[in-house]
């Protein structure tokens, strides 16, 4: 499997360069490359994927609201990217280990994150939002692209241990221009490491459109490193799941790394500190609203007569309950004393750390005096 290498001239031609299973209008499309990876997905499974995407969108909306109300320092929205995250996330096996960026809320959800896990780090309560060992997800990575190096290192450890698992790392289109990502791909290819790179091309690296970084599909870069790649419609949850299963099978069978580019769109701001109205055209947003991943799957289920009202009501209730629990968890968090940041840094007393603690305590005291 390899991507087309024709140049991208506009949004429509861009989408024609992707693999898909469900078209934007909900129509099922035959795909010889991907169909065999989703033969087990029946309508019950499709409704589960729909539920996941609806709940994820509600989690995302609640995160934005909590930040706007001063309860979170920041939030990185994933509205519009539900299919890319849920489709790939649900394809993972429990034994696999994920190295995310900072926007993979849906992957966290698919791995069993609890309501408080979505907000703990953004509230500044803990350095990690969850127990990485329990969810098998490394802490959210703010440094652009750094997680790809961590994933490849972990994958090389998998080889050393002879374990039957895969390291998976998520990155955005902007990260593909970072040296860390390219270095990670060099090592992954050279050592045939069992790692999957998932690039969520949401078209905007903060205020820079992807066309300024590359006039060709990003998946075309991977074969230059000797890594097979596949470019899928990132708003098609079935295509994302099938592509991820292909990539995992490739890596797990000892064939080395694989690369996916999920072509999707960031409907909201880069983070809640960003104002996309300053650089993005409303007409472009409207184009992508017509390709909404949730509406697409709903159209497919409705056409098949497999979208009962009971399902709609149950999903909405579950989404609302998740939002309530998430808000309650956030508002109920008790902030640790500021000096607790020095706790458990070393197993034994450390003079340098004690000196830093004393200096920080003196700094904090200046606020009390004021």
């Amino acid at each position: 499997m390899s991507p087309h290498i024709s140049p991208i001239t506009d949004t429509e031609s861009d989408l024609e360069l992707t693999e898909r299973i469900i078209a934007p209008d909900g129509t099922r499309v035959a795909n010889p490359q991907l169909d065999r990876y989703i033969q087990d997905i029946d309508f019950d499974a499709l409704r589960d994927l729909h539920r996941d995407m609806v709940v994820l969108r509600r989690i995302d909306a609640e995160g934005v609201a909590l930040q706007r109300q001063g309860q979170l320092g920041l939030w990185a929205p994933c509205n519009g990217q539900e299919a890319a995250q849920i489709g790939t996330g649900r394809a993972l096996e429990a034994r696999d280990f994920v190295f995310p960026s900072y926007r993979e809320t849906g992957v966290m959800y698919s791995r069993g994150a609890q309501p408080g896990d979505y907000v703990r780090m953004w509230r500044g309560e803990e350095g990690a939002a969850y127990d990485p060992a329990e969810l098998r997800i490394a802490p959210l990575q703010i440094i652009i692209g750094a997680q790809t190096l961590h994933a490849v290192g972990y994958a090389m450890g998998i080889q050393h241990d002879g374990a039957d698992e895969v390291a998976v790392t998520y990155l955005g289109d902007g990260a593909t221009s970072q040296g860390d990502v390219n270095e990670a791909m060099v090592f992954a290819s050279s050592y045939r490491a069992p790692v999957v790179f998932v690039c969520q091309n949401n078209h905007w690296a903060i205020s820079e459109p992807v066309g300024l970084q590359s006039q060709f599909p990003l998946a075309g870069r991977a074969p230059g490193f000797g890594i097979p790649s596949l470019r899928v419609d990132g708003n098609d949850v079935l295509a994302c799941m099938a592509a991820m299963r292909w990539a995992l099978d490739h890596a797990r069978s000892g064939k080395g790394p694989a690369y996916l580019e999920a072509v999707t769109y960031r409907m909201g701001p880069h983070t809640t500190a960003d104002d996309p109205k300053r650089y993005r055209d409303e007409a472009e947003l409207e184009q992508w609203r017509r390709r909404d991943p949730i509406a697409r799957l709903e159209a497919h289920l409705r056409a098949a007569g497999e979208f009962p009202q009971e399902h709609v009501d149950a999903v909405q209730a579950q989404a609302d309950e998740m939002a309530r629990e998430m808000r309650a968890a956030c508002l109920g968090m008790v902030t640790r004393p500021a000096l607790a940041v020095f706790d458990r840094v070393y197993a034994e007393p450390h003079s340098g750390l004690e000196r830093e603690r004393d200096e920080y305590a003196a700094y904090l005291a200046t606020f009390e005096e004021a």
Side-chain angles (χ1 to χ4, degrees), residues 238-250:
L238 266 188
C240 290
M241 172 177 276
M244 191 62 164
R245 285 179 169 181
W246 162 76
L248 290 169
D249 180 65
H250 179 91

Side-chain angles (χ1 to χ4, degrees), residues 8 11 14-20 80-81 83-84 199-203 210 217-219 230-236 240 260-266 288 291 296:
I8 297 170
T11 299
D14 188 11
L15 288 173
E16 290 306 313
L17 301 178
T18 63
E19 298 289 341
R20 64 164 57 107
Q81 299 180 223
C199 173
Q200 293 182 86
N201 176 359
N202 66 17
H203 282 78
V210 67
L218 298 175
L230 186 60
R231 194 170 198 257
V232 298
D233 186 332
N235 285 9
D236 177 354
C240 290
L260 300 179
E261 179 190 355
V263 182
T264 182
Y265 195 81
R266 165 171 59 81
W288 283 94
R291 304 184 182 100
R296 179 182 305 201

Side-chain angles (χ1 to χ4, degrees), residues 50-364:
H50 173 264
R51 175 205 61 208
D52 290 347
M53 290 195 290
V54 172
V55 173
L56 172 57
R57 184 163 291 183
R58 186 69 181 86
I59 290 171
D60 189 60
E62 193 66 21
V64 172
L66 286 167
Q67 192 282 328
R68 298 306 192 204
Q69 293 160 11
Q71 297 299 328
L72 303 179
L74 194 70
W75 183 262
C78 62
N79 187 317
Q81 299 180 223
E82 292 88 358
Q85 296 198 13
I86 294 299
T88 59
R90 287 300 184 196
L92 294 168
E93 297 191 15
R95 55 187 161 169
D96 299 327
F97 206 101
V98 177
F99 292 81
S101 68
Y102 45 80
R103 202 183 301 279
E104 276 68 61
T105 309
V107 182
M108 291 171 58
Y109 174 77
S110 71
R111 301 294 274 178
Q114 297 302 301
D117 296 341
Y118 301 110
V119 294
R120 191 170 291 108
M121 187 193 78
W122 297 116
R123 191 175 168 88
E125 303 295 353
E126 297 285 349
Y130 41 77
D131 182 348
E134 181 180 350
L135 293 188
R136 295 190 68 74
I137 309 180
L140 299 179
Q141 179 59 255
I142 300 297
I143 301 172
I144 306 299
Q147 71 278 7
T148 59
L149 291 170
H150 307 157
V152 174
Y154 186 94
M156 292 169 67
I158 292 173
Q159 289 178 308
H160 183 271
D161 294 343
D164 185 24
E165 58 184 277
V166 175
V168 177
T169 183
Y170 287 80
L171 60 147
D173 47 287
T176 61
S177 295
Q178 291 287 96
D180 283 4
V181 174
N182 291 274
E183 291 161 10
M185 292 171 72
V186 168
F187 271 80
S189 179
S190 297
Y191 289 91
R192 296 177 65 85
V195 58
V196 174
F197 297 86
V198 182
C199 173
Q200 293 182 86
N201 176 359
N202 66 17
H203 282 78
W204 288 95
I206 307 182
S207 58
E208 180 179 289
V210 67
L212 289 181
Q213 296 188 86
S214 177
Q215 296 183 33
F216 292 84
L218 298 175
R221 296 181 177 183
F225 294 91
I227 301 174
S229 66
L230 186 60
R231 194 170 198 257
V232 298
D233 186 332
N235 285 9
D236 177 354
V237 69
L238 266 188
C240 290
M241 172 177 276
M244 191 62 164
R245 285 179 169 181
W246 162 76
L248 290 169
D249 180 65
H250 179 91
R252 206 184 309 278
S253 62
K255 297 176 183 176
Y259 185 105
L260 300 179
E261 179 190 355
V263 182
T264 182
Y265 195 81
R266 165 171 59 81
M267 297 300 294
H270 178 73
T271 70
T272 47
D274 172 41
D275 179 8
K277 293 180 180 179
R278 298 178 62 184
Y279 56 79
R280 202 164 60 180
D281 194 305
E282 178 62 27
E284 182 177 292
L285 280 173
E286 185 55 36
Q287 277 188 317
W288 283 94
R289 287 191 186 102
R290 295 195 294 269
R291 304 184 182 100
D292 183 272
I294 297 177
R296 179 182 305 201
L297 185 53
E298 288 180 357
H300 177 68
L301 290 169
R302 280 199 185 94
E306 294 286 348
F307 196 63
Q309 188 60 42
E310 308 89 80
H311 168 77
V312 176
D313 295 341
V315 166
Q316 190 57 57
Q318 185 173 345
D320 290 341
E321 179 60 24
M322 172 61 82
R324 281 192 291 269
E325 293 179 3
M326 179 177 162
R327 175 171 288 271
C330 179
L331 300 183
M333 289 178 181
V334 178
T335 302
R336 296 187 303 164
L339 289 175
V341 70
F342 295 96
D343 295 346
R344 301 191 302 276
V345 176
Y346 291 98
E348 302 293 336
H350 189 283
S351 59
L353 190 67
E354 288 301 319
R355 183 175 63 255
E356 291 179 4
R357 183 189 181 99
D358 291 342
E359 291 173 353
Y360 189 46
Y363 170 71
L364 293 175

